[in-house]
Amino acid sequence: MADELKEIVYSRDSIEFVTVAVQFCAYLESFDNNITEPELTDKLTKILPLLYLKASLIPETDTVNEDDPEISVTENDYNYIISKLNSIFGANDTYLEVFLQDMKYSETPISANISEDLADIYQDLKNFVTIFERGITENMNDALYVCTENFKMYWGQKLVNALRALHSLKYSVDTDNLEDGEIAEADDELW
């Protein structure tokens, strides 16, 4: 059993996922508040697809311990990440959500926030990385299992939703600074 767990925990795909997760968490914890929105957006539109790819390649496993893996991210940590991201994105932090189950029954648009989606992803990945760094194979396995299940059920969708919003920020035409004729021309280029 121990050898099977080591094969999963120390597999190339697991280690590559851990590497990207560590980079993602470290970046959100340490980016400079003087960074511009385009710079932050550019960085995130590069790391998020890689994170999604690496998460989708993790080998299947199951838990071996009876207890749930430890949670290390506090509410203050979570709020700190949201606050940092929101201070950069400002008014562009909110986007329309289209993939919620409740959306089919809603007569009004449902909004979401890039900062909250990224903080949710951060929370799960940081909890995972903290356990993984301790090097106890059984705990690493269980953390990998929980993180993978949460990816499938929760933060994977948040990742692609935030990426959709970030893509729009990065590549949309700024019509506020265009003349009327240029707006029509920009619209024609989009279609």
Side-chain angles (χ1 to χ4, degrees):
M1 176 76 154
D3 288 340
E4 289 175 27
L5 290 181
K6 284 183 179 181
E7 274 185 43
I8 292 168
V9 167
Y10 295 106
S11 72
R12 178 181 171 187
D13 290 331
S14 294
I15 297 301
E16 287 178 356
F17 171 67
V18 172
T19 302
V20 176
V22 166
Q23 290 172 344
F24 175 77
C25 292
Y27 184 73
L28 290 189
E29 293 165 349
S30 67
F31 71 81
D32 186 356
N33 285 339
N34 295 326
I35 192 172
T36 65
E37 180 187 287
E39 291 170 329
L40 180 59
T41 300
D42 183 61
K43 179 71 173 182
L44 291 170
T45 56
K46 291 175 180 164
I47 197 165
L48 289 174
L50 185 58
L51 185 57
Y52 188 93
L53 173 66
K54 296 305 178 182
S56 68
L57 296 173
I58 297 170
E60 290 292 324
T61 189
D62 204 352
T63 58
V64 292
N65 294 319
E66 290 181 18
D67 298 330
D68 290 334
E70 177 184 338
I71 294 174
S72 59
V73 176
T74 66
E75 188 174 343
N76 287 340
D77 297 333
Y78 179 84
N79 290 332
Y80 172 72
I81 297 298
I82 287 179
S83 175
K84 275 184 78 169
L85 291 164
N86 185 270
S87 71
I88 304 299
F89 288 118
N92 291 327
D93 191 34
T94 303
Y95 67 92
L96 292 179
E97 175 59 82
V98 295
F99 289 106
L100 286 176
Q101 284 291 49
D102 297 342
M103 187 65 195
K104 357 180 196 183
Y105 309 111
S106 177
E107 292 182 18
T108 59
I110 298 174
S111 64
N113 299 90
I114 296 169
S115 59
E116 190 174 330
D117 287 347
L118 295 178
D120 288 345
I121 297 165
Y122 167 84
Q123 183 177 31
D124 209 56
L125 293 179
K126 186 65 175 185
N127 287 332
F128 161 73
V129 165
T130 301
I131 293 169
F132 213 86
E133 288 174 336
R134 294 185 187 139
I136 300 169
T137 304
E138 292 81 12
N139 295 349
M140 294 164 73
N141 174 76
D142 287 3
L144 194 61
Y145 172 80
V146 168
C147 192
T148 303
E149 290 303 303
N150 288 347
F151 166 74
K152 293 174 187 174
M153 302 302 294
Y154 183 66
W155 67 263
Q157 187 65 57
K158 291 209 172 251
L159 185 153
V160 294
N161 292 352
L163 185 58
R164 180 177 50 85
L166 291 165
H167 176 84
S168 180
L169 277 178
K170 184 172 180 173
Y171 295 109
S172 66
V173 176
D174 183 9
T175 56
D176 292 340
N177 296 325
L178 297 177
E179 301 294 324
D180 287 340
E182 292 174 313
I183 291 173
E185 189 177 305
D187 285 344
D188 290 343
E189 288 177 18
L190 291 174
W191 304 108

